[in-house]
């Protein structure tokens, strides 16, 4: 069935429909269905056979208060979607990007994302990326190249805590220059057959550059999660921190590997890892209110992944 | 037909028998005390009735006439039975609002339940259960969550522990209010005043057995003779 699926149906939770004028790019499968620019925000989108290429540029010094929605989705049960995207925030500009990737009916969907984020000197980019992969999950391959200029700031947050994951393969490589900072937050809940593999690496190449990689994940009932967070400090005064915490339940499997490479002796890198299980009495307290064990676990895990 | 009827219950963990020959009943509309010394098996009995994991249970547990021993805990809860846990857990990340709404569908009612336990819902709703609450506040939230469910029978496991004398009077009123709202109560307590003030009937538990049934005054007296550590006011 390929007709009659509305944007609302796919991106309902994205919430931008409340403001019909909000700046956005909306991609359904391989069609660009909706583009709204702003003064100082230039969007170019090009349709391809199996996906879309989109470029967003925020012009020098332009500070956009309202967030820009970037929504991609596949409304059907199966399909391939390749998204290539480049976001440039020019010097002194700032923008928040709300990215929603939604595959509510997915049975056999492959979503490939190749993205490049360029944050120029003194610019700021905040990315909040919320995924929903339906109740069966999708295959998602994402590759990110991140570049933060002098005094620039990039903070990103990736959340996939509702529904199923499917297979997630995620690689991100970042470079941060003098006094720039990069912060990446990843929150994933994986269940059953889900497989999650996240590799993030950041090079701190300028003096006093900083990075924080903060991941929390849950592996429930057989799911597998692997997280590698790597920071290399290559300049004096560089500061980096890798934090991973995992919750395991049932026979989930988790491997998390913080890697720190101190290239410059004046760089300071730290890491912290925590592994937890849910307390039986927390689950039972909720069950004694009428939640099934599964519902109780979901509520508790979602709460832990929220922060 | 009794609301809750427990007959010849035996609860064990591995080789160790913790509760034996326990029989008790709670009629609809009743408040029934369960008193006994520390370690006599009151909480174990309560958790076994609720269906906690890890206990081997033999005997009968009937709720509204139905044998519920084989039902999972949430199915017992959905039939109108709940337990106010002696030591509430931390629930890291969960907000007070989410916790009290777990067994409730009407937010207005849940907020009212918070007010009834002396917590301003506007102040507490978004607070985190884990780090945001003291032990006493956690206990109050647990009471509110139980009431929010509008259970037909609630087992209160030492709701008075950690409360001072004046809150104890509030607690007695609160338990009476629960009854007005249609909940019957099985009250486990070390507080003599509370047991005597709100209880219609009482059971005495000693060394894993329920050994006596009677008026609260009489049972409280016997409990003290038997070395029970009932205290005046709250613990
Ligand atoms: N899971 C368990 N495994 C082994 N022994 C247990 C277990 N749970 C309880 N017990 C033991 O059973 C006995 C009864 O404990 P229980 O907590 O039911 O007593 P209680 O009457 O509620 O005491 P209190 O008034 O102090 O709350 C105690 O000796 C306790 O150590
Ligand atoms: Mg006890």
């Amino acid at each position: 069935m390929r007709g009659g699926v509305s944007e609302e149906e796919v991106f309902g939770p994205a919430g931008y429909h409340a403001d019909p004028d909000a700046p956005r790019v909306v991609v359904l499968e391989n069609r660009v269905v909706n583009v709204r620019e702003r003064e100082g925000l230039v969007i170019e989108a090009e349709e391809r056979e199996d996906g879309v290429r989109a470029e967003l540029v925020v012009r020098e010094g332009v500070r956009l208060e309202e967030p820009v929605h970037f929504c991609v989705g596949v409304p059907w049960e199966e399909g391939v979607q390749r998204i290539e995207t480049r976001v440039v925030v020019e010097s002194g500009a700032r923008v928040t990007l709300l990215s929603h990737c939604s595959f509510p009916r997915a049975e056999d969907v492959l979503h490939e994302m190749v993205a490049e984020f360029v944050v120029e000197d003194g610019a700021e980019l905040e990315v909040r990326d919320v995924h929903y992969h339906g109740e069966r999950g999708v295959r998602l391959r994402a590759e990110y190249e991140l570049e933060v200029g002098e005094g620039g700031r990039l903070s990103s947050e990736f959340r996939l805590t509702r529904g199923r994951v499917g297979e997630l393969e995620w690689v991100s490589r970042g470079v941060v220059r003098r006094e720039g900072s990069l912060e990446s937050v990843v929150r994933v809940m994986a269940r059953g057959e889900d497989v999650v593999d996240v590799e993030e690496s950041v090079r701190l190449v300028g003096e006093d550059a900083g990075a924080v990689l903060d991941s929390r994940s849950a592996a429930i009932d057989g799911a597998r999660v692997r997280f590698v967070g790597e920071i290399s400090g290559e300049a004096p005064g560089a500061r980096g921190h890798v934090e991973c915490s995992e919750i395991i339940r049932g026979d989930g499997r988790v491997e998390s590997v913080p890697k720190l490479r101190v290239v410059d002796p004046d760089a300071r890198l730290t890491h912290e890892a925590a592994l937890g299980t849910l307390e039986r009495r927390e689950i039972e307290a909720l069950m004694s209110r009428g939640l099934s064990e599964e519902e109780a676990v979901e509520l508790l895990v979602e709460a832990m992944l929220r922060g | 037909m009794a609301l809750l009827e427990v007959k010849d219950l035996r609860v064990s963990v591995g080789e160790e028998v913790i509760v034996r020959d326990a029989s008790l009943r709670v009629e609809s509309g009743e408040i029934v005390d369960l008193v006994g010394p520390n370690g006599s098996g009151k909480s174990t009995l309560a958790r076994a009735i609720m269906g906690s994991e890890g206990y081997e249970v033999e005997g009968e547990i009937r709720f509204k006439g139905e044998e519920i021993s084989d039902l999972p805990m949430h199915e017992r809860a959905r039939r109108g039975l709940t337990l106010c846990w002696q030591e509430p857990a931390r629930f890291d990340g969960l907000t007070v609002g989410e916790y009290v709404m777990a067994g409730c569908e009407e937010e207005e009612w849940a907020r009212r339940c918070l007010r009834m336990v002396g917590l301003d819902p506007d102040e507490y709703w978004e607070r985190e259960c884990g780090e945001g609450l003291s032990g006493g506040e956690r206990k109050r939230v647990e009471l509110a969550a139980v009431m929010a469910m509008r259970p037909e029978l609630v087992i209160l496991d030492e709701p008075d522990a950690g409360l001072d004398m004046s809150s104890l009077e509030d607690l007695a009123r609160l338990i009476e209010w629960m009854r007005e709202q249609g909940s019957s109560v099985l009250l486990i307590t070390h507080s003599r005043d509370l047991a005597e003030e709100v209880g219609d009937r009482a059971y005495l538990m000693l060394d894993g057995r329920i050994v006596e049934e009677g008026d609260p005054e009489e049972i409280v007296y016997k409990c003290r003779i038997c070395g029970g550590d009932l205290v005046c006011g709250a613990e």
Side-chain angles (χ1 to χ4, degrees):
Chain A
M1 224 282 299
R2 297 228 148 181
V5 180
S6 68
E7 240 179 276
E8 266 95 340
E9 212 176 310
V10 180
F11 299 118
Y16 64 88
H17 299 98
D19 175 9
D21 196 37
R24 71 185 73 157
V25 192
V26 180
V27 176
L28 275 183
E29 207 170 26
N30 52 3
R31 285 174 308 123
V32 179
V33 296
N34 203 332
V35 173
R36 240 166 246 276
E37 297 183 311
R38 270 292 175 281
E39 173 108 47
L41 166 70
V42 184
I43 300 176
E44 266 172 39
E46 169 199 330
E47 296 180 357
R48 293 176 172 180
E49 196 170 326
D50 56 359
V52 164
R53 189 192 134 76
E55 179 157 336
L56 282 79
V57 180
V58 184
R59 292 285 181 227
E60 190 174 330
V62 172
R63 305 182 72 82
L64 288 173
E65 288 308 323
E66 50 183 345
V68 178
H69 295 268
F70 186 63
C71 305
V72 302
V74 176
W76 336 115
E77 290 82 3
E78 47 182 73
V80 177
Q81 184 185 52
R82 291 199 172 82
I83 306 286
E84 223 182 287
T85 166
R86 187 175 139 86
V87 176
V88 181
V89 189
E90 294 183 352
S91 317
R94 85 157 299 276
V95 69
T96 298
L97 205 60
L98 296 184
S99 160
H100 306 275
C101 296
S102 189
F103 313 90
R105 298 178 181 180
E107 304 244 345
D108 184 15
V109 168
L110 170 64
H111 172 76
E112 275 185 4
M113 167 76 110
V114 177
E116 192 185 342
F117 292 165
V118 180
V119 179
E120 294 185 352
D121 296 352
E124 271 175 62
L125 170 61
E126 196 183 320
V127 183
R128 270 183 271 149
D129 196 359
V130 179
H131 279 237
Y132 177 57
H133 293 182
E135 292 310 313
R136 308 253 330 228
V138 308
R139 275 174 296 145
L140 167 66
R141 293 208 192 101
E143 240 186 275
Y144 289 85
E145 294 286 341
L146 315 173
E147 207 182 312
V148 182
E150 294 189 3
R153 213 173 66 83
L154 168 57
S155 74
S156 78
E157 197 181 292
F158 172 79
R159 280 181 191 273
L160 175 45
T161 56
R162 284 178 46 236
R164 294 295 291 269
V165 176
E167 271 176 53
L168 170 66
E169 213 183 297
W170 162 295
V171 180
S172 129
R173 282 177 291 265
V175 174
V176 185
R177 304 195 195 287
R178 192 168 62 89
E179 288 176 12
S181 74
L182 186 156
E183 187 186 344
S184 165
V185 169
V186 175
R187 299 285 181 265
V188 180
M189 165 146 63
R191 282 180 291 190
E193 310 281 294
D194 292 345
V195 179
V196 172
D197 193 347
V198 175
E199 273 187 41
E200 291 187 284
S201 65
V202 180
R203 292 176 52 211
L204 302 173
V205 299
E207 266 176 53
D208 300 320
V212 176
L213 303 178
D214 168 4
S215 85
R216 274 189 218 172
S217 53
I220 298 170
D221 298 335
R224 281 180 294 158
V225 174
R226 177 170 168 271
F227 174 83
V228 180
E230 176 174 358
I231 299 184
S232 89
E234 306 177 12
R239 296 258 185 288
H241 183 67
V242 181
E243 194 170 326
C244 359
S245 60
E246 282 86 28
I247 306 159
I248 299 184
R249 174 153 174 92
D251 47 359
R253 272 184 289 163
V254 166
E255 181 190 3
S256 65
V257 191
K259 284 190 190 169
L260 307 176
R261 291 203 312 138
V262 180
V263 177
D264 189 289
D266 289 329
R268 271 190 57 104
L269 307 178
T270 52
H271 75 87
E272 204 177 304
L275 189 66
T277 49
L278 295 175
E279 268 193 70
R280 182 70 205 167
R281 60 196 194 116
E282 294 189 332
I283 296 170
E284 286 199 342
L286 293 169
M287 287 176 75
S288 71
R289 302 295 126 75
L291 268 59
S292 69
E293 181 157 349
E294 237 172 59
E295 291 166 337
V297 167
E298 186 154 331
L299 183 60
L300 290 168
V301 169
E302 265 182 31
M304 283 190 198
L305 294 182
R306 197 178 299 146
Chain B
M1 180 181 56
L3 183 60
L4 175 72
E5 175 118 47
V6 174
K7 257 195 203 151
D8 304 324
L9 206 72
R10 182 186 172 92
V11 185
S12 42
V13 177
E15 297 284 279
E16 195 178 346
V17 182
I18 298 172
V19 172
R20 65 195 87 211
D21 313 325
S23 298
L24 62 77
R25 98 201 118 77
V26 179
E27 301 287 344
S28 186
E30 258 192 322
I31 298 175
V32 176
D33 301 327
L34 177 60
V35 298
N38 285 115
S40 56
K42 304 178 299 294
S43 293
T44 303
L45 177 58
R47 288 194 291 257
I49 294 171
M50 195 65 234
S52 222
E53 199 182 67
Y55 296 116
E56 178 96 25
V57 176
E58 290 164 61
E60 277 179 36
I61 308 170
R62 290 190 174 276
F63 186 62
K64 296 190 277 187
E66 182 190 7
E67 173 58 61
I68 57 168
S69 303
D70 291 330
L71 293 179
M73 187 182 286
H74 67 280
E75 289 295 346
R76 301 181 197 202
R78 286 175 191 178
R79 282 163 173 71
L81 172 66
T82 195
L83 170 62
C84 182
W85 300 73
Q86 184 171 356
E87 281 152 10
R90 284 174 53 91
F91 306 104
D92 280 313
L94 214 61
T95 62
V96 169
E98 286 172 319
Y99 186 63
V100 293
M101 287 299 288
C104 164
E105 270 155 22
E106 317 140 69
E107 185 174 325
E108 257 326 293
W109 172 248
R111 286 175 174 271
R112 176 148 178 233
C113 292
L114 277 172
R115 269 193 295 276
M116 289 302 294
V117 299
L119 300 177
D120 176 2
D122 293 332
E123 189 188 327
Y124 281 87
W125 195 259
E126 296 292 336
R127 255 216 229 162
E128 262 202 42
C129 294
E131 278 167 13
L133 299 181
S134 69
E137 286 169 329
R138 216 166 279 163
K139 196 93 191 180
R140 285 165 193 264
V141 168
E142 179 67 10
L143 274 165
V146 157
M147 287 153 54
M149 219 183 121
R150 300 183 191 270
E152 281 176 71
L153 176 66
V154 52
I155 306 172
L156 299 176
D157 194 352
E158 293 193 37
D160 50 308
L163 295 185
D164 59 28
M165 186 63 195
S166 61
S167 337
L168 194 65
E169 283 164 21
D170 293 341
L171 186 58
R173 271 199 294 275
L174 190 73
I175 294 172
E176 285 293 356
W177 182 75
M178 285 181 175
R179 163 154 58 191
E180 283 162 28
Q181 299 304 312
S183 300
S184 306
V185 177
L186 179 61
L187 171 64
I188 298 172
T189 181
H190 282 283
S191 161
R192 178 179 156 180
D193 290 353
L194 190 62
E196 291 184 353
E197 185 169 341
V198 302
D200 301 318
R201 264 186 320 118
Y203 289 99
L204 173 60
M205 195 159 190
L206 283 180
D207 198 20
R209 292 182 162 84
I210 290 187
V211 294
E212 283 268 356
E213 177 199 344
D215 284 339
E217 285 79 6
E218 176 197 339
I219 293 297
V220 159
Y221 177 70
K222 286 191 175 154
C223 182
R224 295 174 71 207
I225 293 178
C226 296
D229 40 8
L230 289 195
V231 289
C232 289
E235 207 183 11

